[in-house]
Every structure is written in structure tokens, then in C-alpha cells.
Amino acid sequence: MGKRLDFMLFPGGKNRAMTFSYDDGVVQDRRLVELFNRYHVKGTFNLNTATLGIQAEADIGGKHMDISKVSPEEVAVLYEGHEVGGHSLCHSSLPNIGTSLAMHELVEDRIFLEKLSGKMVRFFAYPFGTYNEDVKQLVRMAGYMGARTVVSTHTFEIPQDFMEWHATCHHNDPKLMELAKQFCEGRVFPGSLFYLWGHAYEFDGDNNWNVIEEFVKYVSQFSQEIWFAGNAEIAGYVTAFRQRVYSADGSKIYNPTATELWLLVGQKIYSIPAGATIEVEDPGL
């Protein structure tokens, strides 16, 4: 075999993926979900089940905002077609409340979310973005496969540790559309990912719903190249891809998982069905 440059591709052989992550289950999610559905993009909405249905206002960043929460009864219908994620029972700062209470916040929230949504809940967002190694371990023990921070990287890289998943940027980032155009129209490595996060109430507070609509309208034009998926979907696919097995000379690749995998070897796209082994051609590089 010659020189090899193997790259992960996403389902269908797409070379890029995009995901969204929005927190707190606020009533503005109704408008955001409608927008996502209109442009056929997909997000993960991270909820605190103990606060659902609460009517509330708050001063955030010098702006008075409605931070009322959606009702428990509308969770299954509102977020249908998207992912529901955990955000702790009461939006507590997990590193500061002790191990027992932190685990209670994690597990009880997940139990209630799965009952409300009717689906398994596999991804988490750290409240306030606060976490440490102990909290990461608790999140794993609670059954989550990964968790999002509030750090922006301005890159399109996939993390090695999904328990510390930094986003590309927040929707109020001044480089948002510059990054979007670089991702969609520029030269990026196959297997690149754009991750956007925020809170839907911010669009009301900042009076900038146009920002998110402009963004999703633009990226939706590239649906032939971009896999729009939830956080857990992407983490699950990447985790499966990382389990592939090569023969000693690299000519065969075995997929031991239940997920169909896609990759680029040289200039050729291969799919590896679940449980199958394929032979790859010498790319001749």
C-alpha cells in the first residue's frame, strides 16, 4: 500500500457536519424550533426539568428578559425531530454542590426528560459552563456520552473527549458569518464540524432574531455537503468510527459496530456496513 490519508466522512459520504445546542428550555425555543424546521437543520435543546412551566423574568447583561420556560406537556411535540439534552434538574453549578446532590441533579433530570420526551437522553450541557474532572465522571456515570462547555474555539475540530466539547462559537460571536462562509465555501478537512450554541431568550433581549435566521438560511443551502444532526448523533457516529479496525497492511478495514461508517481513502469514498469488512484500493500517493 502507498502513502495513506484516510479521513472520516459523515453518513451518506458527506464531508461536513453541523449541530446546534440551546439551553434552558425557554419559551423562545418555540420560535427557534420553527425556524430550524423551516430550514431543515437540527439542534439539541438542553432542559432543566424542575424549572419547566415556570414564568420568570431576569436582568441579564444589563437587559431585562423573559426567561419563562416551556411546559412539561409540550416537550415531546415541540422538540420532535430534534434532540432533548440534560442541563441538570435545577440549573445548578455542579462542581459546587457536592457529589451526592450533583448526581441527584444529573440522574433525576435525565429520568424526567426521558419520560417527557419518550426518547433516550444522551447528551448534556454544563450549567453556567462550570465543570471539573469529578463532574465529568459524574456525567459519565449518569449515562451521558458527552457534554458541552461554553468555550468557543473558532475551529471546526471534533474533540477527543466528548465530555469536554467546546463549540465553534456562540451565535452572538462577531465572526459568526465569517466562520460560516469559511466552513461552507472554504477549504476544510473532510470530517469537519461546526457547532453553534446559545440561549433562545437572547434573541429577544438583543432584538437580533435576524442573526440566527440569516445563519440557518445560509448554511441550509449546503445540505448536500453538510450532515445536520444532534449532539448525541454526532458523538455516537464519531465514537463508532473510532472503533474501526485495520488489517496489518491497511488493505482491509473492519467495522465492529452497529453503525454504517463512511470514509475517504485517497480520492475514493467507502462505506462500511455494520459488522462488515471492506477492502480498499491502493491510493497510489
Side-chain angles (χ1 to χ4, degrees):
M1 297 294 286
K3 178 181 177 182
R4 289 279 290 275
L5 294 172
D6 292 13
F7 291 99
M8 178 181 69
L9 298 176
F10 296 107
K14 295 185 177 184
N15 64 2
R16 290 166 248 201
M18 181 172 288
T19 193
F20 299 78
S21 180
Y22 277 81
D23 295 349
D24 298 354
V26 291
V27 292
Q28 292 86 349
D29 281 357
R30 297 165 184 158
R31 181 172 176 179
L32 185 60
V33 167
E34 188 279 326
L35 187 64
F36 283 1
N37 291 344
R38 191 190 324 158
Y39 290 103
H40 307 290
V41 302
K42 189 169 184 177
T44 299
F45 292 85
N46 310 298
L47 313 183
N48 315 102
T49 47
T51 69
L52 293 177
I54 289 176
Q55 304 296 307
E57 298 180 356
D59 292 315
I60 302 174
K63 299 171 184 176
H64 192 71
M65 302 186 192
D66 180 5
I67 59 168
S68 298
K69 308 302 190 292
V70 301
S71 69
E73 295 77 19
E74 67 183 304
V75 167
V77 174
L78 175 61
Y79 299 112
E80 184 179 3
H82 300 273
E83 283 184 359
V84 170
H87 201 37
S88 85
L89 190 65
C90 302
H91 204 287
S92 299
S93 180
L94 300 179
N96 305 312
I97 61 174
T99 299
S100 298
L101 182 54
M103 183 56 85
H104 172 78
E105 287 263 346
L106 290 164
V107 174
E108 289 300 301
D109 188 47
R110 187 170 179 233
I111 289 171
F112 291 143
L113 286 175
E114 291 183 341
K115 288 180 178 178
L116 292 175
S117 68
K119 299 177 182 178
M120 191 174 294
V121 174
R122 298 299 312 281
F123 220 83
F124 188 74
Y126 296 112
F128 308 105
T130 58
Y131 66 98
N132 55 29
E133 290 301 319
D134 290 338
V135 168
K136 286 168 61 176
Q137 183 60 20
L138 291 177
V139 173
R140 287 190 190 94
M141 292 171 63
Y144 289 106
M145 65 190 307
R148 196 209 76 230
T149 74
V150 295
V151 175
S152 293
T153 66
H154 290 172
T155 69
F156 312 126
E157 297 177 359
I158 293 175
Q160 287 300 311
D161 180 3
F162 281 110
M163 283 295 164
E164 202 165 333
W165 196 349
H166 306 317
T168 302
C169 66
H170 183 278
H171 65 245
N172 277 340
D173 195 299
K175 293 186 177 181
L176 176 63
M177 291 309 299
E178 176 186 337
L179 288 165
K181 290 175 181 177
Q182 180 185 343
F183 181 75
C184 293
E185 300 183 59
R187 296 186 64 181
V188 297
F189 284 109
S192 293
L193 169 79
F194 197 116
Y195 191 137
L196 188 71
W197 80 281
H199 305 84
Y201 62 71
E202 294 169 316
F203 297 119
D204 277 357
D206 297 328
N207 192 27
N208 67 347
W209 279 96
N210 61 297
V211 167
I212 190 63
E213 181 159 12
E214 178 186 358
F215 180 84
V216 296
K217 183 178 181 180
Y218 171 73
V219 299
S220 67
Q221 300 174 76
F222 300 89
S223 59
Q224 294 299 313
E225 296 87 31
I226 299 174
W227 179 40
F228 294 101
N231 294 184
E233 278 185 290
I234 291 173
Y237 179 82
V238 173
T239 299
F241 186 85
R242 289 173 177 172
Q243 295 179 59
R244 71 197 188 283
V245 180
Y246 284 79
S247 62
D249 66 357
S251 64
K252 296 180 176 64
I253 308 175
Y254 168 54
N255 174 9
T257 76
T259 301
E260 182 179 14
L261 304 178
W262 296 78
L263 75 161
L264 181 67
V265 181
Q267 299 299 314
K268 186 170 181 179
I269 294 175
Y270 293 87
S271 68
I272 315 177
T277 299
I278 65 164
E279 287 200 35
V280 299
E281 299 174 5
D282 187 339
L285 299 181

